[in-house]
Amino acid sequence: MRAPLNTSSAPAEPTGPMIAMTNVSKWYGDFKVLTNCTTSVNKGEVVVVCGPSGSGKSTLIKCVNALEPFQEGQVVVDGTPVRDKRTNLPKLRARVGMVFQHFELFPHLSIAENLTLAQVMVLGRDRGAALDSGMTLLDRVGLSAHAKKFPGQLSGGQQQRVAIARALAMNPIVMLFDEPTSALDPEMVGEVLDVMVQLAREGMTMMCVTHEMGFARKVANRVIFMDKGEIVEDATKDDFFGHARSERAQNFLSKILQH
Amino acid sequence: MLANFDFSVITSSLPYLFFEGMRFTLTLTALAALGGIALGTLIAMMRLSGLPVIPLVAKTYVNLFRSLPLVLVIFWFYFLVPYLGQWVTGADRPMTVGAFTSSLVTFTLFEAAYFSEIMRAGIQSIPKGQAAAAQALGMTYWTSMRTVILPQVFRNMTPILLTQTIVLFQDTSLVYVLSITDFLGAASKVAQRDGRLVEMYLFAAVVYFAVCFVASMAVRQLQKKIAIIR
């Protein structure tokens, strides 16, 4: 058994919402991408968001740390309202870890520098301490041998594991995953999911946009199904994979599960 | 035919040509390039800022300077800046601005327009996800620009920035309109003093060519070396 990935705190008992979304709506010009989305993610909970492409899953998850602005509704992260002029967004984002579909490691910096940059620049840690925590996390995603390499020298799966470590190095209170395995070659999906499963089991609060239903079955508490910018289903994992639900979700599941 | 030419005028005037002339040219080129890149980067950031009004200001600046002939701007600044200085400081008489200062300011402002377009292209070529990742880690706009975006832009754009600097090196010869002793100015003074126009202008051409050619080769080598591994 590996040492824990989540260094921020002991596994939080699932109480109180970490993320609370109420009636979030968003438009790109006249086009409505999100319609009255209401859901919540409790502390220690793992919520998987799925749905056909263009359904607004990525947009929804990016509303949590205000990478995408939204025009109506409210998102409250650990008591902090996101759509509030007085909210210090950089400060909020520093506490919300995010992993992107295309990794987005900084290509001009070594892996070690990727892990330490934000710790030093944002959290004000000194370089030594930042490097220590960075290297600890790198070791836990199984890549400590690669600290001096540059992102371009790593495989996609390795880069994504570094990206997870980079987000964790900020000791986030919640982790957002935006299709973390969609840009990976099939043989690398497993190594990234393994890290995510470990993280989930340690009690990290997670919101994951993903098509990996195996991952959802294994660790999710709840599954949200989106279509055309609306939350169509918001059910416990067993309900979602088990019995009756909306036709659209059934349709979607039959398409992605038959292979 | 060459027998009528006296190339010894070149050797005898070498110290003057290089220590006076070339030194001025290189100093002006280096300082104007640094200033132009700094100002150009700021203008590019303004133009891409997405704030109200500010992008328009940047765009107008770039379009204005790109639409004016350089010689005209050099003249204009040289004769206008003293009066502008007088107006700003409220002094009794026009401010004294040396030819070097005047030409440095001119070239910096003028080249900034061109450098800003290079920097704008460079910033736009960085995937949007990089800025998003920096933001998601809690970085402010300035921190992400300084530590994530601009270092990549400079690395990608250094060859083009240097190529533009080579053009700037040639353009500095236009300060002859202010009777400044840059390299070409020095050559031209010797040429007229000794009546050796062909020799001196031929030599000046060879020197400009040699410097620019070698610099271009060096840029190409550098380009291979610094490319980011993706």
Side-chain angles (χ1 to χ4, degrees), chain A residues 39 51 57 63 78 94 98 142-143 145 148-149 153 155 169 171 174-175 200 233-234:
Chain A
T39 189
K57 326 177 281 291
C63 287
D78 196 32
M98 186 155 203
L143 293 169
K148 291 205 172 72
K149 289 190 182 168
Q153 296 169 297
S155 73
N171 302 113
V174 53
M175 285 284 287
E233 291 263 336
D234 186 345

Side-chain angles (χ1 to χ4, degrees), chain A residues 46 48 122 229:
Chain A
V46 176
V48 163
V122 177

Side-chain angles (χ1 to χ4, degrees), chain A residues 15-54:
Chain A
T15 50
M18 183 64 86
I19 302 169
M21 293 187 152
T22 17
N23 295 320
V24 171
S25 294
K26 177 180 171 67
W27 288 261
Y28 284 125
D30 289 338
F31 182 65
K32 200 168 186 183
V33 276
L34 292 178
T35 307
N36 292 328
C37 294
T38 301
T39 189
S40 65
V41 180
N42 289 330
K43 282 189 182 121
E45 213 174 19
V46 176
V47 173
V48 163
V49 184
C50 62
S53 63

Side-chain angles (χ1 to χ4, degrees), chain A residues 226-241:
Chain A
M226 290 186 72
D227 192 21
K228 299 193 176 88
E230 283 178 90
I231 294 181
V232 181
E233 291 263 336
D234 186 345
T236 63
K237 170 180 65 179
D238 295 336
D239 283 349
F240 186 77
F241 291 112

Side-chain angles (χ1 to χ4, degrees), chain A residues 73-140:
Chain A
Q74 186 57 282
V75 177
V76 178
V77 179
D78 196 32
T80 310
V82 168
R83 202 167 72 87
D84 185 330
K85 280 202 176 77
R86 284 161 302 176
T87 297
N88 182 341
L89 283 178
K91 208 170 170 184
L92 173 74
R93 289 181 186 128
R95 305 169 67 211
V96 177
M98 186 155 203
V99 175
F100 296 84
Q101 183 177 1
H102 296 288
F103 332 134
E104 304 302 350
L105 295 179
F106 305 134
H108 61 302
L109 300 176
S110 70
I111 300 306
E113 289 164 332
N114 264 281
L115 291 166
T116 53
L117 181 67
Q119 291 188 66
V120 174
M121 302 304 299
V122 177
L123 301 181
R125 291 181 184 160
D126 71 63
R127 256 162 229 289
L131 193 62
D132 281 350
S133 70
M135 291 308 291
T136 308
L137 285 161
L138 194 59
D139 186 40
R140 288 173 189 172

Side-chain angles (χ1 to χ4, degrees), chain A residues 65 67 90 93-94 96 98 100 104-108 117-118 121-122 152-153 166-167 170, chain B residues 127 129-130 132-140 143 146-148 151-152 155 228-230:
Chain A
N65 60 355
L67 281 188
R93 289 181 186 128
V96 177
M98 186 155 203
F100 296 84
E104 304 302 350
L105 295 179
F106 305 134
H108 61 302
L117 181 67
M121 302 304 299
V122 177
Q153 296 169 297
R166 177 176 70 175
M170 303 294 284
Chain B
Q130 288 284 302
Q135 260 190 319
L137 286 164
M139 292 187 201
T140 59
T143 308
R146 194 161 52 82
T147 62
V148 175
Q152 294 186 57
R155 207 170 295 198
I228 298 176
I229 313 159
R230 286 200 182 272

